[in-house]
Amino acid sequence: MSLSLPNIDKIVFREFPAFTHPFLKYVFENKKFLGRKKANFLLNRMEMKTGRSKIVSYPYYLVIDPSNICNLKCPLCPTWQDLKARPKGMMDMETFRKLFEEVGPYVFAINLCNWGEPLLNPDICGIIKFAKSFNTVVGLSTNLNSLTDDKAQEIVASGIDILVVSLDGDSQESYAKYRVGGDFGKVMDNLKKLISLRKDGKHPLLVWQFLVNRHNESEIEKAKERAGQLGMLFMPSPMRTSMGKELLLPLYERVKDVEEWLPLNPRYNRYNYTIGPETRTRQITCNWLWKAMVINWDGSVSPCCGVFEKKWDFDACYSAEGKNLTIREVWNSPRYQLARKLVSAHMKKSKHLRPLLKLAKEEGLICAQCIKYGFLEE
């Protein structure tokens, strides 16, 4: 029995955060490429549910990193600390165009950020405009320390739906503890530029993302009040362990490693302080391998957004590293298929898990770490 439009609406909405729903609603109302998006989504869900390793559907959510260069030095971020793990650079417009011409008609949403500051890419506004031409929800996360008047106008005019501003504090003192090199006053000034330019005072949606840590937890209420005054959505988020290590070490070691950063307020602490060496993450499976794709600035493709080192990549597309593979070819590459077989066998408690795990380790698949320690926490 075919699903009616409202039912598909609801199913799609459940896959994305609530603050994206007004923009997803517009995707359904606009109808451009909607038939392909819906058919691909339903096929993807079926293939994910059955655990297929070679799949026909495209991912319906993308993370594309326009730049893995950043102007700040956050203590738990590997971007500035491990300069050899992945080459530094910025995606050019031509690479993005090739990527999105293939996959854009099937994608509901794209996040233009992963390991760097996206506004440093001079082509970012063109990238946003091109993505929007495919009737896709477009968002990015920025530290907003670098924004000229002209760039502010271009960003708003690009049609971007969601701008998440990483602002962990309500004063320079607490903010700069984690956002090292950042200027709280400058971010406030840049926010006011964007607010003055917003269409109808609502578009794009501005989200104040407040990573709660031990140095700023006393300022949550002040920041929430200021966000309300500015017309921003306030989104406090519990501090994570060191990015880049999340898939490489057991949870116990990761938490002990960053204990001085974790908030004392249990409401905002993601982790239980009483965990033991054998404790796994709460995430019991991985859907990244079926529903989403993470593409780096040079076209290389990582298993998920938690993979920092290039050595763990699945493959590369559109001339990155001299290759000219399509997204479809990378999406069904041997490493992608092996990873899906591995996770599917784990979930089904299949007798094939042990030999697949052995093969995954031999092939250097980081997904074997998730079978061992637990999957990336969402």
Side-chain angles (χ1 to χ4, degrees):
M1 183 177 72
S2 62
L3 289 171
S4 65
L5 175 60
N7 286 334
I8 298 176
D9 246 331
K10 292 175 183 177
I11 297 170
V12 172
F13 284 11
R14 285 200 297 266
E15 295 294 307
F16 296 95
F19 64 82
T20 67
H21 293 179
F23 307 103
L24 284 167
K25 184 180 178 183
Y26 178 78
V27 171
F28 278 85
E29 291 172 349
N30 186 21
K31 298 189 184 304
K32 187 177 181 182
F33 297 114
L34 185 59
R36 279 193 259 180
K37 291 179 191 291
K38 290 192 298 182
N40 179 75
F41 176 81
L42 293 174
L43 177 59
N44 184 278
R45 283 175 60 84
M46 182 192 73
E47 292 181 315
M48 182 165 52
K49 188 174 181 179
T50 56
R52 290 193 58 172
S53 57
K54 185 174 184 179
I55 58 181
V56 177
S57 61
Y58 277 102
Y60 57 82
Y61 172 60
L62 288 184
V63 174
I64 295 186
D65 207 1
S67 166
N68 68 342
I69 298 168
C70 192
N71 47 354
L72 302 187
K73 294 184 176 181
C74 303
L76 304 187
C77 179
T79 294
W80 67 276
Q81 298 183 69
D82 192 350
L83 300 179
K84 296 181 180 179
R86 184 179 295 278
K88 299 293 182 185
M90 299 187 186
M91 181 173 285
D92 58 67
M93 190 65 218
E94 184 58 27
T95 299
F96 184 82
R97 187 182 298 275
K98 288 179 180 178
L99 291 167
F100 224 69
E101 280 178 345
E102 180 182 353
V103 78
Y106 308 98
V107 170
F108 275 104
I110 176 174
N111 181 18
L112 291 170
C113 181
N114 200 21
W115 293 112
E117 170 51 54
L119 298 190
L120 295 180
N121 187 320
D123 290 327
I124 191 63
C125 295
I127 286 172
I128 295 166
K129 285 181 182 177
F130 194 71
K132 285 302 300 175
S133 72
F134 285 84
N135 191 25
T136 301
V137 179
V138 181
L140 62 77
S141 181
T142 171
N143 61 53
L144 210 63
N145 272 265
S146 177
L147 187 72
T148 64
D149 292 348
D150 288 345
K151 192 65 168 277
Q153 291 179 345
E154 290 171 10
I155 286 289
V156 173
S158 70
I160 192 167
D161 299 300
I162 302 163
L163 271 170
V164 178
V165 182
S166 300
L167 195 49
D168 319 314
D170 192 59
S171 65
Q172 175 63 21
E173 183 181 4
S174 65
Y175 167 74
K177 283 282 187 181
Y178 188 70
R179 301 290 166 180
V180 178
D183 186 323
F184 183 82
K186 184 182 290 185
V187 177
M188 285 292 114
D189 289 342
N190 289 337
L191 269 172
K192 289 170 185 175
K193 290 179 191 176
L194 292 171
I195 290 166
S196 70
L197 295 166
R198 284 203 296 184
K199 302 170 186 175
D200 303 322
K202 297 179 181 179
H203 200 275
L205 173 67
L206 296 175
V207 180
W208 182 323
Q209 184 182 57
F210 189 108
L211 288 183
V212 183
N213 62 61
R214 196 168 297 185
H215 304 286
N216 66 15
E217 58 185 322
S218 64
E219 295 185 352
I220 294 174
E221 291 306 315
K222 287 182 180 179
K224 182 178 180 180
E225 182 179 353
R226 191 193 295 261
Q229 293 169 352
L230 292 170
M232 299 177 70
L233 173 64
F234 185 67
M235 195 167 68
S237 179
M239 199 78 176
R240 303 179 74 104
T241 57
S242 293
M243 298 182 292
K245 293 182 181 179
E246 289 188 298
L247 303 180
L248 300 176
L249 297 173
L251 181 63
Y252 176 78
E253 288 186 30
R254 292 193 281 118
V255 170
K256 291 298 179 185
D257 188 46
V258 299
E259 246 179 349
E260 73 276 10
W261 283 100
L262 300 180
L264 297 174
N265 186 338
R267 181 182 175 187
Y268 296 108
N269 195 337
R270 185 185 295 269
Y271 310 104
N272 188 334
Y273 279 124
T274 61
I275 62 173
E278 74 289 343
T279 305
R280 295 171 60 84
T281 65
R282 297 173 190 169
Q283 192 72 21
I284 61 172
T285 190
C286 174
N287 294 326
W288 281 93
L289 299 172
W290 283 270
K291 72 178 185 181
M293 181 180 263
V294 177
I295 305 176
N296 300 296
W297 70 269
D298 58 355
S300 57
V301 176
S302 299
C304 69
C305 69
V307 175
F308 178 69
E309 295 174 285
K310 188 174 182 61
K311 69 178 182 179
W312 302 112
D313 287 350
F314 280 157
D315 217 318
C317 47
Y318 291 112
S319 298
E321 305 164 10
K323 296 183 178 182
N324 198 31
L325 299 176
T326 63
I327 288 178
R328 166 78 67 196
E329 289 169 324
V330 173
W331 190 227
N332 279 312
S333 64
R335 289 170 68 81
Y336 245 124
Q337 290 192 53
L338 176 58
R340 293 186 186 116
K341 288 177 182 176
L342 177 67
V343 172
S344 183
H346 171 74
M347 294 307 300
K348 295 175 180 177
K349 296 181 171 56
S350 168
K351 63 181 181 181
H352 301 297
L353 176 59
R354 184 169 292 183
L356 282 169
L357 189 56
K358 182 175 181 291
L359 180 58
K361 290 177 179 177
E362 291 171 353
E363 293 294 324
L365 240 60
I366 198 170
C367 307
Q369 298 290 106
C370 291
I371 302 299
K372 184 177 180 181
Y373 299 134
F375 296 95
L376 182 69
E377 300 135 325
E378 294 183 353

